[in-house]
């Protein structure tokens, strides 16, 4: 299996065989099950540390490796980001969920040599209607992006679909962090920005697998990294949402490997 298609940064995009895509579906289904399991545990008083332990135990039972733990020194299995935290929040015994919070949970595993990666943002009890709208628009923008995962389209088509939906609803997309190809590496070419950077992007072909992950802010698109070296927060401290799916390009259109409830 070889590919001539290169990302706009010149890196080669790895094409996966059908067998490899099936393994990636297995990996991503374990991620999906974990996120569903965690969703059922979200309530006021639960710490992000508790959630991390649940995910780790589940990985042990399924005999897969949590992908983020130790990745460039990241200390947790989950990335857990609350309210104005955008991504890469570190699980902590001190971080207790409160009613009205939103929590983004980003999770990945390594299973039989391949990675799965998916994220959801979950409300803790009843949240402000505007925050609910942020969650809806972010989830919808991911789905709009996935609709563009068609052989012959370009990465730019995904970016435009996500950005167009988000901005038409008055929210902003984070530019400093982007989606990515995924396979035997957690992060592979190509980068998948949630904003348009011109047409000169890779053309999609069957066998590519993409982790599409809009990060959407209620206010400014600007973000900063906290002193822990990981946690990304919005510059204006307004809330942010994050949804992610790993999606294979097939001859029959997009195949969402991390689809929940299968
Ligand atoms: Mg992720
Ligand atoms: Mg990802």
């Amino acid at each position: 299996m070889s590919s001539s298609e290169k990302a706009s940064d010149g890196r080669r995009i790895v094409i996966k065989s059908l067998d490899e895509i099936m393994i990636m579906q297995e990996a991503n289904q374990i991620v999906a099950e974990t996120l569903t399991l965690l969703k059922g545990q979200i309530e006021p008083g639960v710490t992000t540390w508790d959630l991390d332990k649940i995910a780790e135990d589940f990985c042990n039972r399924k005999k897969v490796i949590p992908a983020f733990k130790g990745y460039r020194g990241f200390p947790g299995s989950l990335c857990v980001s609350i309210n104005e935290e955008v991504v890469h929040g570190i699980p902590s015994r001190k971080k207790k969920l409160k009613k009205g919070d939103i929590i983004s949970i980003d999770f990945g595993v390594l299973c039989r040599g391949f990675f799965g990666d998916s994220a959801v943002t979950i409300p803790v009890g009843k949240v402000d209607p505007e925050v609910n709208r942020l969650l809806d628009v972010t989830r919808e923008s991911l789905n709009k992006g996935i609709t563009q995962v068609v052989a012959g389209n370009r990465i730019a088509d995904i970016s435009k679909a996500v950005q167009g939906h988000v901005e038409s609803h008055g929210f902003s997309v984070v530019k400093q962090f982007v989606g990515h190809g995924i396979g035997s590496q957690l992060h592979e070419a190509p980068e998948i920005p949630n904003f348009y950077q011109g047409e000169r992007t890779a053309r999609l072909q069957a066998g590519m697998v993409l982790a599409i992950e809009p990060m959407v802010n209620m206010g400014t698109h600007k973000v900063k990294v906290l002193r822990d070296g990981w946690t990304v927060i919005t510059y204006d401290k307004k809330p942010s949402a994050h949804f992610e799916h790993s999606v294979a390009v097939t001859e029959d259109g997009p195949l969402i490997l991390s689809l929940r409830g299968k």
Side-chain angles (χ1 to χ4, degrees):
M1 289 286 133
S2 70
S3 163
S4 55
E5 196 63 30
K6 287 191 173 160
S8 49
D9 56 14
R11 292 183 298 159
R12 194 174 71 90
I13 300 173
V14 180
I15 297 297
K16 282 81 183 175
S17 69
L18 200 56
D19 285 349
E20 290 171 331
I21 289 176
M22 290 301 108
I23 298 173
M24 292 192 72
Q25 189 163 42
E26 193 182 326
N28 275 289
Q29 281 301 301
I30 294 170
V31 174
E33 279 182 63
T34 310
L35 292 176
T36 300
L37 175 67
L38 292 169
K39 252 180 163 172
Q41 303 296 318
I42 299 297
E43 58 179 20
V46 169
T47 70
T48 56
W49 178 273
D50 298 331
L51 299 173
D52 197 59
K53 289 306 130 212
I54 291 168
E56 252 183 47
D57 289 347
F58 193 68
C59 282
N60 289 336
R61 265 201 282 153
K62 292 284 179 179
K63 299 192 165 38
V64 296
I65 298 167
F68 304 162
K69 190 153 198 173
Y71 183 84
R72 297 184 180 167
F74 187 77
S77 292
L78 298 177
C79 291
V80 275
S81 309
I82 297 172
N83 299 335
E84 75 274 13
E85 295 171 355
V86 179
V87 287
H88 305 163
I90 299 172
S92 162
R93 287 188 175 93
K94 290 181 199 146
K95 287 225 157 159
K96 263 194 187 138
L97 300 181
K98 301 186 304 293
K99 188 166 170 276
D101 284 346
I102 53 170
I103 175 172
S104 303
I105 303 180
D106 191 350
F107 186 55
V109 301
L110 175 61
C111 166
R112 298 205 283 141
F114 287 88
F115 285 92
D117 188 7
S118 183
V120 286
T121 303
I122 305 159
V124 184
K126 202 170 150 51
V127 302
D128 187 273
E130 185 67 353
V131 174
N132 249 330
R133 200 170 70 88
L134 176 72
L135 299 190
D136 288 342
V137 168
T138 309
R139 193 187 304 105
E140 289 158 11
S141 76
L142 171 58
N143 291 332
K144 300 263 180 192
I146 291 171
T147 304
Q148 296 300 318
V149 177
V150 173
N153 272 4
R154 291 186 182 277
I155 292 294
D157 294 311
I158 300 172
S159 306
K160 273 190 281 192
V162 170
Q163 181 177 30
H165 188 71
V166 168
E167 292 182 352
S168 74
H169 286 84
F171 298 136
S172 65
V173 292
V174 172
K175 300 190 169 157
Q176 218 169 305
F177 298 89
V178 297
H180 50 94
I182 180 167
S184 62
Q185 306 295 315
L186 179 59
H187 297 120
E188 296 185 354
E191 289 194 345
I192 309 167
N194 296 303
F195 58 100
Y196 185 61
Q197 288 184 298
E199 285 302 316
R200 288 193 47 158
T201 53
R203 226 179 248 293
L204 303 184
Q205 54 179 259
M208 291 179 180
V209 184
L210 310 173
I212 305 172
E213 48 180 315
M215 289 147 257
V216 177
N217 295 352
M218 189 177 280
T220 179
H221 75 274
K222 286 190 186 154
V223 297
K224 61 182 175 187
V225 180
L226 292 184
R227 254 188 298 221
D228 63 19
W230 282 104
T231 313
V232 178
I233 66 165
T234 56
Y235 207 81
D236 57 10
K237 305 274 181 76
K238 288 186 180 175
S240 182
H242 180 210
F243 286 86
E244 176 179 28
H245 270 310
S246 293
V247 184
V249 186
T250 80
E251 299 294 354
D252 306 317
L255 175 63
I256 306 174
L257 303 177
S258 50
L259 198 63
R260 289 180 297 283
K262 278 186 79 185

